[in-house]
């Protein structure tokens, strides 16, 4: 097993639109070592979501390559990719996508089952993840019975339940107040260090700088040296 969590080589993604081609990513090459907390910074429209989708195998680059833990994503067909994703990657999106009629516990349980967490481990694992984000007492609450910050913490707990080696988080704190943002980033940072996993998180919030081991700047779809 190599120490490289993520590698991209000359990644490009072009979208066709009515007004012509949109180069959402151009010549994006970088490597991330395992165990790092990487912040992907860039303005709205700079290509952050496109990059995260390509890293998670949710979108296909139009050129270049992506390896996650040495797996070349282009080598996986759709079914293999879905299996791979469930076992290897935890996603946290800006729209957290919690199932509204399910409790916090049940939301995590759905993910644990999809990821094939053994039945004998599920309960303990789910409770541990809820505790990690400080919401053990909310296990039977539904999303609408929680604040936005609490819902986002449940979404993070859900991303952790399969014990992925890599977490991809797309602006997970953009809807939250600064205190909650600090809490969530600190919880993620602790988790990265405890579990030795890698997190790749996009944000345009300067608060995130304090928690990252490394910053990658995107500007107009290209990696840009730090200011
Ligand atoms: P960010 O997440 O940093 O805001 P995005 O990756 O969403 O940036 O978008 C990068 C660029 O690609 C933008 O110019 C956006 O308008 C364009 N884009 C994103 N998705 C699509 C799409 N499905 N079709 C056409 N253009 C898109
Ligand atoms: Mg985005």
């Amino acid at each position: 097993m190599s120490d490289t969590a993520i590698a991209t080589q000359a990644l490009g993604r072009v979208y066709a639109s009515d007004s012509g081609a949109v180069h959402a990513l151009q010549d994006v090459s970088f490597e991330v070592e395992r165990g790092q907390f990487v912040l992907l910074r860039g303005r709205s429209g700079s290509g952050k979501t496109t990059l995260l989708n390509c890293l998670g195998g949710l979108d296909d680059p139009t050129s270049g390559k992506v390896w996650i833990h040495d797996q070349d994503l282009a080598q996986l067909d759709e079914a293999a990719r879905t299996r791979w994703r469930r076992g290897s990657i935890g996603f946290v999106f800006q729209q957290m996508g919690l199932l509204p009629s399910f409790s916090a516990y049940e939301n995590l349980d759905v993910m644990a089952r999809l990821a094939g967490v053994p039945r004998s481990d599920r309960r303990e694992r789910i409770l541990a993840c809820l505790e990690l984000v400080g919401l053990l007492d909310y296990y039977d609450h539904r999303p609408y019975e929680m604040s936005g910050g609490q819902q986002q913490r449940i979404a993070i707990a859900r991303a952790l339940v399969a014990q992925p080696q890599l977490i991809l988080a797309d602006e997970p704190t953009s809807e939250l107040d600064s205190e909650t943002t600090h809490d969530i980033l600190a919880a993620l940072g602790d988790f990265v260090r405890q579990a030795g996993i890698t997190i790749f998180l996009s944000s345009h919030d300067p608060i995130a700088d304090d928690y990252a081991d490394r910053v990658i700047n995107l500007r107009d779809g290209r990696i840009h040296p730090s200011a």
Side-chain angles (χ1 to χ4, degrees), residues 15 22 24 43-50:
Y15 293 109
V22 178
R43 289 185 196 154
S44 180
S46 60
K48 301 183 298 300
T49 296
T50 304

Side-chain angles (χ1 to χ4, degrees), residues 164-176:
Q165 287 298 300
L166 173 64
I167 295 191
L168 299 174
D170 194 9
E171 306 209 37
T173 58
S174 61
E175 305 288 317
L176 307 176

Side-chain angles (χ1 to χ4, degrees), residues 94-105:
Q94 192 173 349
Q95 283 85 21
M96 35 220 146
L98 297 176
L99 300 166
S101 59
F102 283 49
S103 70
Y105 185 96

Side-chain angles (χ1 to χ4, degrees), residues 17-186:
S17 81
D18 294 343
S19 48
V22 178
H23 293 267
L25 295 176
Q26 289 189 77
D27 198 25
V28 171
S29 301
F30 65 90
E31 283 192 18
V32 172
E33 275 174 46
R34 283 176 186 264
Q36 285 202 311
F37 189 143
V38 180
L39 168 62
L40 176 65
R41 205 168 39 191
R43 289 185 196 154
S44 180
S46 60
K48 301 183 298 300
T49 296
T50 304
L51 177 56
L52 283 159
N53 287 344
C54 289
L55 297 181
L58 297 170
D59 189 14
D60 285 308
T62 25
S63 55
K65 280 188 171 288
V66 179
W67 295 265
I68 304 291
H69 303 130
D70 299 323
Q71 170 69 57
D72 176 354
L73 298 196
Q75 301 293 322
L76 300 174
D77 65 22
E78 202 54 44
R81 205 184 270 202
T82 302
R83 242 178 292 123
W84 164 80
R85 194 186 296 123
R86 283 178 185 155
S88 314
I89 300 202
F91 283 102
V92 186
F93 296 108
Q94 192 173 349
Q95 283 85 21
M96 35 220 146
L98 297 176
L99 300 166
S101 59
F102 283 49
S103 70
Y105 185 96
E106 289 163 341
N107 266 280
L108 269 64
D109 195 40
V110 168
M111 191 57 74
R113 285 165 194 258
L114 279 174
V117 177
R119 187 188 166 84
S120 55
D121 294 352
R122 279 205 297 262
R123 186 181 161 79
E124 197 181 336
R125 192 93 78 80
I126 291 167
L127 296 177
C129 290
L130 288 172
E131 181 153 37
L132 186 83
V133 298
L135 291 176
L136 191 51
D137 292 346
Y138 286 74
Y139 74 95
D140 62 347
H141 287 227
R142 298 196 179 155
Y144 64 85
E145 297 170 318
M146 292 185 268
S147 70
Q150 289 171 330
Q151 290 180 45
Q152 193 56 284
R153 281 193 276 165
I154 296 295
I156 288 169
R158 183 183 56 175
L160 303 178
V161 82
Q163 297 183 331
Q165 287 298 300
L166 173 64
I167 295 191
L168 299 174
D170 194 9
E171 306 209 37
T173 58
S174 61
E175 305 288 317
L176 307 176
D177 62 68
S178 64
E179 194 183 332
T180 312
T181 296
H182 276 294
D183 287 351
I184 284 179
L185 293 171

Side-chain angles (χ1 to χ4, degrees), residues 199-219:
I199 180 158
F200 196 85
L201 175 148
S202 75
S203 177
H204 55 242
D205 188 338
I207 292 176
D209 290 19
D210 297 345
Y211 294 91
D213 300 315
R214 176 177 167 198
V215 177
I216 293 177
N217 287 294
L218 267 189
R219 192 181 285 183

